[in-house]
């Protein structure tokens, strides 16, 4: 019989195993002084030290933009701090309503709904869509995010997993399903750990051919792509072919929260039946105020996106020039293949301790075992001097650890 005193030891053993595998995650305590990004303060073993972060999801530095900070300060002075309740019970603020109207406009959809996170948005939306349509079948890309997998699982529907970014496999699986069954094709635009971009238009065409809905996660693309920052679907000119577009406020927009956009009836069903929406305190109005300023700015300005793409191209070219195994991709994400969790952690520790560069190792379960990597996200706030320091530090530590080099992009 297990005694009550045994439980802590059992859990401790699991943590010990995680550490032996080199996968134990240590959170770096970082403070982001206003206006200095990507320079941040790290509370390390030697006290407070300035480091440059190269892995932030605040892709465009909008979390520090003067317009965003001013909007949030004004909202606080006007009383918009916490929401005070769920959206149904006292937690709907005028800022929520205005933000949802703006997000619908961003994606040229009739309606939008905000959540406290992108994870919650996927969880609620996919579980509702599947559960409300009798006998639904989901078709999910093999590399989809955990939030999408969990949303589909909670719907309790049949599901097929199609090969990552494979239009042929998607069509082959759709062809086996009865035309009378509701079908929902679920995929992302930018896959955040590989930098891959999906064939959105082709997926939409195939889905329409077989009478399926399309659900597109644009969390790593909103603000980054398209004439107004509406994502890859907007840049490709196919957003009107997608039924539901999901996005986040917590990455390129520099805030926190998630959202979905689509037809009014679809969004109203998610609002009315989505448990993680109904039972969650609504997004803090001060965050909605910041998001309004950020989204509005990026809908009009292309400067940040232009400079960010320039920095990405420079980083890729410089790292490939010294033989580092940059993983192939055309997005703003620059993954560098390591292939071992211990080496990845040792490398990032050395970069942080010796060079003042913060990168986080990406290990299982975020990526498959044996494909561990660094994930670099260059942005418009990174200077040429910062880029020089990054390349020099990676070159030095790569050699010190005797890691493999090559002269071409790596396919994983």
């Amino acid at each position: 019989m297990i005694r009550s005193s045994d439980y802590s030891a059992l859990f401790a053993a699991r943590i010990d195993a995680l550490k032996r595998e080199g996968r134990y995650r240590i959170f770096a305590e970082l403070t982001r002084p206003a206006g200095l990004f990507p320079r941040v303060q790290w509370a390390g073993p030697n006290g407070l030290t300035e480091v440059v972060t190269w892995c932030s999801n605040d892709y465009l530095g909008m979390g520090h933009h003067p317009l965003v900070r001013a909007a949030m300060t004004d909202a606080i002075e006007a009383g918009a701090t916490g929401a005070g309740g769920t959206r149904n019970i006292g937690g709907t603020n005028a800022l929520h309503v205005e933000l949802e109207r703006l997000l619908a406009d961003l994606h040229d959809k009739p309606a939008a709904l905000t959540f406290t996170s992108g994870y919650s948005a996927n969880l609620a939306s996919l579980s509702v869509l599947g559960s409300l349509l009798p006998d639904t079948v989901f078709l999910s890309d093999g590399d989809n995010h955990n939030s999408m997998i969990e949303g589909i699982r909670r719907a309790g529907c049949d599901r097929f997993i199609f090969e990552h970014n494979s239009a042929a496999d998607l069509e082959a699986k759709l062809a086996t399903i009865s035309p009378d069954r509701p079908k929902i094709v679920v995929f992302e635009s930018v896959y955040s750990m590989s930098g891959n971009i999906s064939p959105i238009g082709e997926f939409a065409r195939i889905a329409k051919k077989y009478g399926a809905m399309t659900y597109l996660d644009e969390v790593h693309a909103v603000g980054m792509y398209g004439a107004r920052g509406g994502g890859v679907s907007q840049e490709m000119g196919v957003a009107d072919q997608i039924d539901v577009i999901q996005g986040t406020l917590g990455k390129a927009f520099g805030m926190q929260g998630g959202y979905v956009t689509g037809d009014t009836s679809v969004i109203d069903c998610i609002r009315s039946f989505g448990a993680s929406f109904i039972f969650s305190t609504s997004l803090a109005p001060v965050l909605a105020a910041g998001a309004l300023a950020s989204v509005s700015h990026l809908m009009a300005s292309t400067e940040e996106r232009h400079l960010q793409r320039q920095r990405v191209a420079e980083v890729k070219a410089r790292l490939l020039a010294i033989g580092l195994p940059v993983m192939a991709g055309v997005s703003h994400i620059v993954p560098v293949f390591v292939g071992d969790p211990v080496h990845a952690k040792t490398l990032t520790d050395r970069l942080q301790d010796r060079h003042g560069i913060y990168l986080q190792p990406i290990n299982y379960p975020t990526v498959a075992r044996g494909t561990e990597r660094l994930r670099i996200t260059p942005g418009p706030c990174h200077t040429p001097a910062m880029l020089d320091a990054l390349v020099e530090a990676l070159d030095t530590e790569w050699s010190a650890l005797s890691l493999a080099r090559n002269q071409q992009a790596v396919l994983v």
Side-chain angles (χ1 to χ4, degrees), residues 28-43 47-56 58 64 352 356-359 382 386:
E29 183 182 332
L30 304 175
T31 301
R32 294 169 25 125
L36 296 182
F37 184 80
R39 297 188 299 278
V40 299
Q41 298 293 327
W42 170 47
L48 210 59
T49 307
E50 183 176 275
V51 298
V52 175
T53 178
W54 281 92
C55 58
S56 175
D58 187 358
H64 288 258
Q352 191 161 320
I357 291 172
Y358 174 63
L359 278 169
H382 288 109
M386 291 175 183

Side-chain angles (χ1 to χ4, degrees), residues 129-142:
L129 294 177
S131 63
L132 293 187
L133 297 172
D135 208 22
T136 295
V137 181
F138 279 104
L139 295 104
S140 178
D141 187 285

Side-chain angles (χ1 to χ4, degrees), residues 5-213:
S5 59
D6 293 335
Y7 288 102
S8 290
L10 291 171
F11 287 120
R14 294 301 300 269
I15 294 298
D16 287 342
L18 202 63
K19 290 179 177 178
R20 286 194 300 272
E21 293 175 30
R23 295 193 297 113
Y24 183 70
R25 301 181 183 210
I26 298 173
F27 299 155
E29 183 182 332
L30 304 175
T31 301
R32 294 169 25 125
L36 296 182
F37 184 80
R39 297 188 299 278
V40 299
Q41 298 293 327
W42 170 47
N46 300 317
L48 210 59
T49 307
E50 183 176 275
V51 298
V52 175
T53 178
W54 281 92
C55 58
S56 175
N57 284 341
D58 187 358
Y59 294 130
L60 301 177
M62 291 304 296
H64 288 258
H65 197 284
L67 288 175
V68 174
R69 299 197 335 250
M72 297 180 77
T73 300
D74 290 346
I76 289 172
E77 291 301 320
T81 51
T86 64
R87 288 292 294 273
N88 185 53
I89 306 176
T92 295
N93 186 284
L95 291 165
H96 295 124
V97 177
E98 186 181 355
L99 177 58
E100 286 167 351
R101 287 174 181 158
L102 183 66
L103 292 168
D105 180 45
L106 171 67
H107 295 286
D108 294 313
K109 300 295 183 188
L113 187 68
T114 54
F115 293 77
T116 54
S117 71
Y119 196 104
S120 293
N122 274 335
L123 201 65
S125 301
L126 289 167
S127 62
V128 166
L129 294 177
S131 63
L132 293 187
L133 297 172
D135 208 22
T136 295
V137 181
F138 279 104
L139 295 104
S140 178
D141 187 285
D143 278 7
N144 275 346
H145 190 264
N146 176 267
S147 60
M148 305 168 82
I149 295 168
E150 283 298 306
I152 292 169
R153 185 183 66 80
R154 292 194 182 196
C157 302
D158 290 340
R159 62 187 182 273
F160 289 97
I161 310 300
F162 62 90
E163 294 174 12
H164 175 53
N165 275 356
S166 173
D169 194 45
L170 170 62
E171 182 159 21
K173 287 180 167 57
L174 276 167
T176 67
I177 303 169
S178 168
D180 297 328
R181 296 187 69 179
K183 296 168 282 289
I184 306 175
V185 179
V186 183
F187 58 104
E188 301 179 41
S189 59
V190 177
Y191 286 84
S192 64
M193 295 302 150
S194 65
N196 292 338
I197 291 180
S198 63
I200 300 173
E202 184 67 2
F203 283 174
R205 182 192 66 78
I206 293 169
K208 184 176 182 180
K209 177 181 176 181
Y210 291 90
M213 282 185 66

